[in-house]
């Protein structure tokens, strides 16, 4: 098959699929209500991103936990109902698979990692990796983050006036560099040192750019999947060579060329780091048991070390190949960079908005450090793992921010066969009535609305759309474990309604969402939940605690030369993107300008009346 034939066949196949799907969906429509179809070609699916957080929440509040939307290939189900989500991510997860274009494009970029595999291969990878992300291993890795958060704080302090006054600083690039150093050191054992370096090295630069580029190129995922499935590796590379030739002038083609360069840079650097770590491990004596491999080993300073040792003692049938191990590294670094940067930026921004919460948090951290200093257990603000993770108000701030503003607002699934799933709360039907179950045809795309689920007023209260960290102070610090989630999925028909004890927040009359983290859907649930959420939570808490103890943050107050004060707006794309609204900003460039100054004595005083 020639290259021209491949391109023509691909275009024709897409057009035919579009026409057939449209005709079939018109005949066998999903019995749900929803907003008008919108654009005849692409539907109204892009309204989720154009309308932002408010629109995503509004349509769930108006139509219910199951809403009919339209995409390029027909009807889409927008889901935020707790019982339906339990079926999607736990009980019937084998039917609700990640779309093929998502799997294929991830495999092309990251290799054979968790987000690029399905079925038995994914199960085998998950089985090996679950123990790697244990609490004991997180405790071991926290010291690698201490110098990074200290370095970030020192850099910001060095930029401030000596007289103690504030200075406007765009904190986003510094938070991004900190997150990058954290994932590189903590996951790869690779010292990127971007906080200290004048310029990023090629690998760090590639990691920093790949997230925004993936967001720009989401529309080509279906083409990527078609080429990978229908072309040999030889012809697939020929297609890639054709569309990345330098004389194609459009910005879209320039983005594809840049993506290819970044992927090749990432692959080369991560492969080198992986082989070096593997060679060093093989030079040592291989332990007999995984517990021996993961206990009291000072050389294990990264997730890669822990994973390699765990893999070395696995049985031949369960052991991962080098390609799979390398894929895990690529996925972990990518997943931990932009999501952590987004969550960090949002936390600091919200603390700048709420000076009382900032003062209360600062007081809590100071009290914890004083106790440890008196006991002689620490120096500076390097809180031990158990102390850091158990600070009530810090925990509340992180949870509330991740609930309201999950780094990934929506996720997609596609049904491998027709299924009818029940709803916990009735949703509006086409006829204007209400339905308690949804019949979903085979091949239908279902959007998991993490945003709407985390703001469900029936479970989170009438103030579910408000940032109020105090709501968590009445709940236990620990949520049900993933092992409990797995056990729960085996009990009867419905695991979202259960009599077992659970944190107060996010639970009402025994009903809860099937998430692995504090009854929210931020890190999903089931076997495709975010495996690294414990590392992400630990990194967030460490950086926030270090920054807030020494620095005070507030929103910009000084007008520019045209008399406009900067106002930060968060746009919804693949991630939440902060920009400065016009006319003070361009509304495009990611930035979080804040007034920053050294902490004063009064900055520890907060009003205890809630």
């Amino acid at each position: 098959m020639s290259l021209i034939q491949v391109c023509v066949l691909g275009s024709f196949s897409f057009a035919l699929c579009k026409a057939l799907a449209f005709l079939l969906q018109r005949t066998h429509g999903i019995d749900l209500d929803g907003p008008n179809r919108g654009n005849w070609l692409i539907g109204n699916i892009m309204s989720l991103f154009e309308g932002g957080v408010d629109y995503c929440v509004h349509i769930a509040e108006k139509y219910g936990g199951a809403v009919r939307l339209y995409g390029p290939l027909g009807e889409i189900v927008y889901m935020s109902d707790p019982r339906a989500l339990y079926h999607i991510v736990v009980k019937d997860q084998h039917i609700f698979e990640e779309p093929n274009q998502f799997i294929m494009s991830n495999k092309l970029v990251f290799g054979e990692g968790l987000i690029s595999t399905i079925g038995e291969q994914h199960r085998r990878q998950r089985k090996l990796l679950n123990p790697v992300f244990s609490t004991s291993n997180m405790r071991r890795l926290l010291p690698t983050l201490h110098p990074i958060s200290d370095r970030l704080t020192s850099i910001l302090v060095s930029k401030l006036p000596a007289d103690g006054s504030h200075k406007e600083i765009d904190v986003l690039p510094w938070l991004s560099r900190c997150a990058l150093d954290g994932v590189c050191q903590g996951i790869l054992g690779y010292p990127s040192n971007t906080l200290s370096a004048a310029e990023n090295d090629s690998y760090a630069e590639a990691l920093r750019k790949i997230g925004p580029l993936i967001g720009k190129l989401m529309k080509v995922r279906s083409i990527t999947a078609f080429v990978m499935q229908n072309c040999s590796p030889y012809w697939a590379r020929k297609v890639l060579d054709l569309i990345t030739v330098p004389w194609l002038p459009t910005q879209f083609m320039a983005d594809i060329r840049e993506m290819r360069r970044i992927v090749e840079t990432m692959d080369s650097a991560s492969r080198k780091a992986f082989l070096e770590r593997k060679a060093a491990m093989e030079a040592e004596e291989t332990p007999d048991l995984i517990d021996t491999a993961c206990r009291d080993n000072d050389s294990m300073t990264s997730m890669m070390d822990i994973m390699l040792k765990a893999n070395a003692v696995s049985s031949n049938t369960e052991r991962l190949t080098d390609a799979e191990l390398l894929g895990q590294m690529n996925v972990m670094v990518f997943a931990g960079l932009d999501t952590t940067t987004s969550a960090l930026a949002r936390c600091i921004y919200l603390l700048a908005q709420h000076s009382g919460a900032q003062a209360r948090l600062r007081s809590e951290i100071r009290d914890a450090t004083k106790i440890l200093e008196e006991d002689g257990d620490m120096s500076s603000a390097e809180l031990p793992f158990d102390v850091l993770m158990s600070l009530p108000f810090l925990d509340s701030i992180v949870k509330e921010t991740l609930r309201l503003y999950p780094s990934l607002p929506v996720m997609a699934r596609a049904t491998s066969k027709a299924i009818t799933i029940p709803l916990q709360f009735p949703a509006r039907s086409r006829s204007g009535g209400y339905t308690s179950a949804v019949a979903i045809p085979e091949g239908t795309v279902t959007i998991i609305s993490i945003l709407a689920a985390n703001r469900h007023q029936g479970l989170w209260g009438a103030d579910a759309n408000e940032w109020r960290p105090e709501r968590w102070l009445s709940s236990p610090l620990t949520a049900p474990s993933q092992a409990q989630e797995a056990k729960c999925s085996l009990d009867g028909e419905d695991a979202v309604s259960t009599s077992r004890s659970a944190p107060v927040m996010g639970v009402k009359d025994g009903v809860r969402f099937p998430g692995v983290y504090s009854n929210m859907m931020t890190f999903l649930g089931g076997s495709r939940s975010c495996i690294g959420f414990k590392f992400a939570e630990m990194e967030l808490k460490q950086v926030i605690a270090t920054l807030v103890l020494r620095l005070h943050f507030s929103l910009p107050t000084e007008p520019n030369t045209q008399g406009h004060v900067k106002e930060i707006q968060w746009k919804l794309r693949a991630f939440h993107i902060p920009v400065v609204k016009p006319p003070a900003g361009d509304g495009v460039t990611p930035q979080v300008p804040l007034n920053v100054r050294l902490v004063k004595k009064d900055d520890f005083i907060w009003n205890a009346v809630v």
Side-chain angles (χ1 to χ4, degrees):
M1 182 180 292
S2 70
L3 183 58
I4 294 178
Q5 287 175 316
V6 169
C7 296
V8 171
L9 180 60
S11 301
F12 175 79
S13 298
F14 178 82
L16 180 62
C17 287
K18 166 66 183 174
L20 289 176
F22 177 74
L23 292 174
L24 290 173
Q25 294 286 4
R26 289 183 66 185
T27 306
H28 307 287
I30 297 172
D31 188 23
L32 288 172
D33 199 1
N36 292 332
R37 181 188 183 92
N39 185 284
W40 69 272
L41 180 62
I42 64 173
N44 56 14
I45 187 66
M46 293 309 296
S47 297
L48 294 178
F49 302 98
E50 295 166 356
V53 172
D54 291 342
Y55 181 82
C56 291
V57 176
H58 167 72
I59 59 174
E61 292 176 347
K62 180 177 180 179
Y63 299 101
V67 183
R68 185 189 72 250
L69 298 177
Y70 291 93
L73 294 179
E75 292 178 325
I76 294 173
V77 179
Y78 179 78
M79 198 73 75
S80 59
D81 181 87
R83 180 175 294 180
L85 291 182
Y86 162 71
H87 281 264
I88 292 171
V89 303
V90 180
K91 185 176 181 180
D92 298 313
Q93 60 181 295
H94 60 288
I95 296 176
F96 290 89
E97 299 175 342
E98 289 182 311
N100 190 51
Q101 57 264 35
F102 176 83
I103 295 294
M104 288 296 182
S105 58
N106 286 339
K107 186 172 294 187
L108 185 65
V109 174
F110 303 111
E112 302 283 340
L114 276 174
I115 63 173
S116 312
T117 57
I118 58 175
E120 176 60 23
Q121 184 182 16
H122 184 272
R123 183 208 64 79
R124 184 168 50 83
Q125 292 181 357
R126 188 86 188 199
K127 182 178 179 181
L128 176 86
L129 293 174
N130 276 336
V132 171
F133 285 89
S134 66
T135 299
S136 60
N137 284 333
M138 296 304 102
R139 184 179 289 107
R140 183 176 293 107
L141 290 176
L142 178 59
T144 66
L145 301 179
H146 285 154
I148 296 172
S149 57
D150 288 340
R151 192 178 306 126
L152 169 65
T153 305
S154 298
I155 289 172
L156 294 179
V157 167
S158 69
K159 296 180 177 295
L160 300 179
D163 62 2
S165 60
H166 72 258
K167 179 181 179 181
E168 185 181 292
I169 299 176
D170 180 9
V171 299
L172 185 62
W174 296 107
L175 295 177
S176 177
R177 289 186 177 208
C178 176
L180 179 57
D181 284 353
V183 296
C184 284
Q185 186 65 60
I187 294 177
L188 291 180
Y190 174 81
S192 57
N193 295 324
T194 58
L195 279 170
S196 303
E199 296 181 0
N200 291 341
D201 64 19
S202 58
Y203 180 60
E205 180 194 22
L207 290 173
R208 182 174 57 83
K209 289 183 176 181
I210 191 169
L213 271 178
I214 286 177
K216 285 184 178 182
L217 298 176
M218 287 181 67
K219 294 179 180 179
V220 303
R221 278 183 168 179
S222 57
I223 300 175
T224 301
F226 175 84
V227 172
M228 291 185 68
Q229 285 184 309
N230 295 278
C231 299
S232 66
Y234 172 82
W235 280 110
R237 179 162 289 276
K238 285 291 185 183
V239 172
L240 185 61
D241 291 339
L242 175 65
I243 63 177
T244 55
V245 291
W247 45 264
L248 289 174
T250 66
Q251 181 59 47
F252 179 72
M253 289 303 171
D255 289 339
I256 293 180
R257 289 194 294 273
E258 180 67 358
M259 174 62 84
R260 181 179 189 178
R261 184 191 68 81
I262 286 173
V263 170
E264 290 173 348
T265 300
M266 284 179 52
D267 180 70
S268 176
S270 58
R271 189 179 299 275
K272 179 182 177 182
F274 168 75
L275 293 176
E276 288 175 352
R277 288 280 176 173
K278 183 181 178 184
M281 187 203 73
E282 291 175 345
E284 302 172 357
E285 182 180 0
T286 303
D288 295 326
L289 297 172
I290 188 170
D291 287 340
T292 305
C294 296
R295 185 173 61 244
D296 299 329
N297 192 334
D298 293 336
S299 66
M300 292 197 336
T301 57
S302 69
M303 297 303 299
M304 180 185 287
D305 293 328
I306 298 170
M307 187 175 65
L308 286 174
K309 290 183 180 292
N311 194 58
V313 297
S314 299
S315 65
N316 291 334
T317 57
E318 299 293 334
R319 188 171 300 163
L320 304 188
T321 65
D322 284 0
E324 289 177 300
L325 291 170
L326 184 60
Q328 309 312 326
M329 294 297 98
N330 290 333
V331 167
M332 290 176 195
V333 171
F334 166 72
L337 177 55
D338 287 322
T339 54
T340 301
T341 299
S342 176
L344 272 174
R346 182 73 78 162
C347 279
I348 299 300
Y349 168 75
L350 288 168
L351 289 172
Q353 272 189 313
H354 300 84
S355 58
Q358 185 179 165
R360 183 174 184 174
L361 174 62
R362 184 177 295 114
S363 177
E364 179 180 75
I365 298 167
R366 180 194 58 182
D367 292 345
T369 59
K370 279 186 175 179
I371 292 173
L372 291 169
E373 286 173 349
E374 291 171 0
D375 293 341
D377 289 341
M378 63 168 290
S379 61
S380 183
E382 294 181 357
L383 297 172
F385 179 86
D386 293 322
V387 175
L388 177 71
M389 302 305 289
S390 62
L391 291 176
F393 199 59
L394 174 60
D395 186 72
S396 298
I397 283 174
V398 170
K399 283 179 178 174
E400 184 72 346
T401 303
L402 292 176
R403 179 187 72 84
L404 267 185
Y405 305 104
S407 296
L408 293 175
V410 294
M411 295 290 288
R413 295 290 187 268
T415 51
S416 59
K417 67 178 183 179
I419 184 175
T420 298
I421 58 175
L423 301 176
Q424 187 71 41
F425 305 101
R428 282 171 50 171
S429 65
R430 279 179 180 268
S431 63
Y434 287 87
T435 180
S436 296
V438 181
I440 304 178
E442 178 181 351
T444 302
V445 173
T446 297
I447 300 293
I448 300 172
S449 179
I450 299 173
L451 264 175
N454 285 358
R455 293 167 178 247
H456 194 292
Q457 294 187 21
L459 297 185
W460 297 102
D463 61 352
N465 289 309
E466 298 177 18
W467 188 79
R468 197 173 66 82
E470 294 82 6
R471 76 175 76 239
W472 293 94
L473 294 178
S474 62
S475 299
L477 280 175
T478 56
S481 67
Q482 195 163 353
Q484 288 175 309
E485 297 288 347
K487 179 180 182 299
C488 180
S489 68
L490 301 176
D491 296 338
E493 178 181 336
D494 189 355
V496 296
S497 300
T498 155
S499 61
R500 65 189 171 117
S501 61
V504 174
M505 290 313 307
V507 179
K508 187 174 182 180
D509 299 328
V511 178
R512 59 182 292 272
F513 284 99
V516 294
Y517 180 68
S518 298
N519 298 326
M520 65 181 85
M521 292 301 295
T522 299
F523 297 106
L524 288 182
S527 67
R528 298 199 79 93
S529 61
C530 175
I531 199 170
F533 75 91
K534 292 180 181 178
F535 182 87
E537 181 188 26
M538 177 180 70
E539 186 176 11
L540 283 173
K541 289 183 175 182
Q542 172 59 31
V543 175
I544 293 169
T546 307
L547 286 174
V548 169
L549 190 60
R550 295 184 62 188
L551 297 171
H552 179 276
F553 300 92
S554 59
L555 299 180
T557 54
E558 299 174 2
N560 59 17
T561 54
Q562 288 77 38
H564 304 296
V565 176
K566 293 180 180 178
E567 182 181 353
I568 299 170
Q569 175 187 21
W570 296 77
K571 292 190 173 182
L572 191 60
R573 297 294 181 263
F575 305 101
H576 298 272
I577 307 297
V579 300
V580 174
K581 292 176 62 174
D586 60 11
V588 175
T589 305
Q591 54 184 307
V592 181
L594 296 176
N595 288 343
V596 185
R597 62 169 170 81
L598 290 174
V599 165
K600 301 176 181 178
K601 184 177 180 179
D602 291 347
D603 294 330
F604 292 89
I605 301 174
W606 59 280
N607 186 358
V609 178
V610 180

